[in-house]
Amino acid sequence: MLKVVDVSKNFGGLQALDHIQLHLEQNRIYGLIGPNGAGKTTLFNLVTGLLPVSGGSIQFQDEELTSLPPHQIARLGIARTFQNIRLFPTMSVLENVLVAQNIHTQSGIPSLFQFKGQREKKLREEAEALLQQMGLWEKHGELSSDLAYGEQRRLEIARALALQPTLLLLDEPAGGMNEAETEELLDRIQEIRNTGKTIFLIEHDMSVVMGICDYIYVLNFGKLIAQGTPEKIQANEAVIEAYLGREER
Ligand SMILES: Nc1ncnc2c1ncn2[C@@H]1O[C@H](COP(=O)(O)OP(=O)(O)OP(=O)(O)O)[C@@H](O)[C@H]1O
Ligand SMILES: [Mg+2]
């Protein structure tokens, strides 16, 4: 569903990504790992159109993405969360999801306005279902800034799901979570996959990556140095050298 073909990204003299190739298929969980500054977030920024590529092509369900603005890419079915949480802090949990739904509803047929009441009811029901799915319905009236950190991360996922994506990009979803929160998050990510979506996640916590990913890509200094199943990656010398072994030294 997503093909990244020969993609490069330069920031001035820095080559943040160097001829990257990726191929994601539907209904799977992919991991993207690598040391700090490897280019992981930059790759997400290119796929979602926040930054232009310096070279190469990105195709999603046979549409070329590299010339599209972010909102059109989102409409094609790609949603993301951010490494630094981006919620509306002065809105309630429910409102944060309701505003995210707008991307599809505003393009709706204008004559539907006489059914506004019904439509709003349906959107509210959908938002409730998403908050239930992410375990946040009990908090729907609270300000998003009053949520615990792990809950804010889950709310960001609910917001992303409100865009009805087929591909969900998660940038360090377990960042700052404790072990119990992380465990719960893993269950929820698997549930999302089971609804037919593809998930591509950046994560430093190896228990997360190895535990739920079907396939892993490894970046180091902008280069793809390895790819494969968790078992293969854990045994890969270049990966151990660049990343996994780092903590033991
Ligand atoms: N908008 C930008 N302008 C200039 N340089 C950038 C920009 N975004 C990223 N970089 C640089 O590109 C490199 C890759 O950064 P990126 O954020 O993609 O790394 P990362 O793998 O996500 O790292 P981390 O694990 O720390 O989040 C870094 O050297 C970073 O400083
Ligand atoms: Mg990053």
Side-chain angles (χ1 to χ4, degrees):
M1 57 157 21
L2 183 79
K3 285 187 195 140
V4 171
V5 185
D6 228 15
V7 161
S8 295
K9 179 64 187 176
N10 306 314
F11 294 111
L14 173 81
Q15 185 145 38
L17 291 171
D18 186 3
H19 294 89
I20 300 301
Q21 316 267 4
L22 309 174
H23 191 159
L24 309 192
E25 282 164 24
Q26 215 184 322
N27 204 216
R28 291 182 171 259
I29 302 177
Y30 293 88
L32 180 60
I33 66 172
N36 293 115
K40 305 178 300 293
T41 297
T42 299
L43 183 62
F44 277 18
N45 288 339
L46 299 183
V47 171
T48 52
L50 290 188
L51 292 174
V53 301
S54 303
S57 157
I58 303 173
Q59 293 140 32
F60 180 65
Q61 288 160 347
D62 295 326
E63 294 243 22
E64 178 61 44
L65 300 186
T66 49
S67 54
L68 297 181
H71 69 273
Q72 278 185 29
I73 293 174
R75 268 196 199 155
L76 290 175
I78 301 179
R80 73 175 293 178
T81 64
F82 290 88
Q83 190 167 351
N84 308 309
I85 296 173
R86 296 191 188 179
L87 294 167
F88 294 110
T90 59
M91 287 187 187
S92 73
V93 167
L94 176 62
E95 283 164 348
N96 264 278
V97 177
L98 290 173
V99 290
Q101 289 171 321
N102 268 334
I103 181 182
H104 289 294
T105 54
Q106 278 182 346
S107 64
I109 306 152
S111 66
L112 277 178
F113 83 92
Q114 65 259 41
F115 301 116
K116 199 161 169 271
Q118 268 165 283
R119 214 175 66 193
E120 269 171 13
K121 187 163 168 273
K122 188 165 165 282
L123 288 175
R124 233 190 105 91
E125 282 167 4
E126 282 169 13
E128 177 174 346
L130 287 174
L131 288 172
Q132 296 276 14
Q133 191 183 349
M134 296 313 296
L136 287 171
W137 178 243
E138 292 68 28
K139 309 239 165 172
H140 72 273
E142 292 187 19
L143 285 183
S144 69
S145 54
D146 287 342
L147 294 182
Y149 195 67
E151 292 169 337
Q152 293 194 16
R153 287 224 175 261
R154 296 211 306 274
L155 177 54
E156 255 218 321
I157 296 176
R159 274 173 56 92
L161 289 173
L163 305 181
Q164 302 172 7
T166 44
L167 173 62
L168 181 61
L169 308 179
L170 304 175
D171 198 343
E172 303 198 20
M177 286 190 178
N178 64 33
E179 216 170 297
E181 285 174 324
T182 302
E183 280 288 308
E184 194 195 329
L185 177 75
L186 295 191
D187 289 343
R188 300 203 189 267
I189 290 175
Q190 277 166 321
E191 281 166 21
I192 295 167
R193 188 265 311 274
N194 292 344
T195 64
K197 298 183 193 300
T198 300
I199 291 157
F200 192 19
L201 62 92
I202 295 173
E203 193 51 71
H204 281 292
D205 185 334
M206 283 304 122
S207 63
V208 171
V209 177
M210 300 300 169
I212 62 167
C213 292
D214 298 301
Y215 198 86
I216 298 168
Y217 289 99
V218 188
L219 280 177
N220 193 28
F221 291 113
K223 288 190 162 59
L224 197 61
I225 59 164
Q227 58 178 292
T229 59
E231 297 72 32
K232 263 188 145 175
I233 292 300
Q234 274 169 310
N236 183 299
E237 281 302 324
V239 178
I240 294 166
E241 180 61 30
Y243 192 51
L244 296 175
R246 206 175 41 158
E247 285 144 35
E248 281 135 49
R249 268 185 249 135

